[in-house]
Amino acid sequence: MNLKHLPGHLARRFHQISSTLFDLEMSRAGIVLTPVQFAALVEMKESPGIDQATLAGTIAYDRTTIGGVVDRLVDKGMVERFTDQADRRCKRLKLTPVGLETLSRAEPLVSRSQQELVSSLTAHEQEQLVALMQKIVEALGDKSRTSRHL
């Protein structure tokens, strides 16, 4: 069995490389942020007042673990957690000015790291790669622990 021909192994390596490139860009800029925290900030910007459970589903992250991610963002002053007026059990989230500023600094860095990730491919190959990855996630997303497609 050749690991270079196993999609799962290649996907794991691709993820490792992607995470390393992300970490390098954040480190150079002095931003302390993980890829999951970045995804959470992006979604909170897109959906102000989103609740934690919905956030977990939207970014395909485990509902149990998302609390720790949000806790760290709150501790960094990037996110504010507040109680829903209609359902006191529901915790809603919004970006603080620090979170918005961090996100605006991080977005071009993430774009650069993502471009570097696929830089060995032609523009057409990049589109194909993303389309094929989306197709697999759409088809099999319910098989993951998060039961979320995209």
Side-chain angles (χ1 to χ4, degrees):
M1 185 172 286
N2 187 337
L3 292 177
K4 293 179 182 178
H5 297 284
L6 295 177
H9 174 73
L10 293 171
R12 182 182 64 79
R13 291 289 296 131
F14 190 84
H15 179 260
Q16 285 176 325
I17 295 163
S18 177
S19 294
T20 298
L21 294 172
F22 178 96
D23 291 343
L24 284 171
E25 288 290 344
M26 293 303 124
S27 176
R28 286 182 192 137
I31 300 172
V32 181
L33 203 61
T34 67
V36 172
Q37 290 171 343
F38 175 77
L41 292 176
V42 167
E43 189 54 37
M44 284 183 241
K45 181 181 176 187
E46 293 297 314
S47 304
I50 191 170
D51 65 272
Q52 281 188 197
T54 302
L55 174 65
T58 303
I59 66 171
Y61 206 68
D62 183 70
R63 285 179 67 166
T64 305
T65 315
I66 197 68
V69 172
V70 172
D71 287 345
R72 285 182 283 287
L73 291 171
V74 168
D75 291 345
K76 292 176 184 182
M78 295 182 195
V79 171
E80 183 180 310
R81 186 186 282 134
F82 59 97
T83 303
D84 185 300
Q85 296 301 331
D87 181 357
R88 307 290 296 163
R89 297 168 297 166
C90 181
K91 300 297 181 198
R92 300 223 169 252
L93 308 165
K94 70 176 183 178
L95 294 181
T96 65
V98 171
L100 284 167
E101 190 270 333
T102 301
L103 186 57
S104 71
R105 287 180 53 218
E107 286 175 328
L109 304 174
V110 172
S111 292
R112 187 166 52 219
S113 73
Q114 294 295 289
Q115 185 55 46
E116 184 178 352
L117 181 64
V118 295
S119 63
S120 63
L121 304 175
T122 66
H124 179 68
E125 288 170 334
Q126 291 174 24
E127 289 174 14
Q128 285 180 310
L129 175 65
V130 171
L132 291 170
M133 294 172 90
Q134 288 172 338
K135 186 174 183 177
I136 291 167
V137 170
E138 281 296 321
L140 299 174
D142 62 339
K143 305 286 188 235
S144 73
R145 291 177 297 175
T146 60
S147 296
R148 176 73 180 170
H149 289 271
L150 281 176

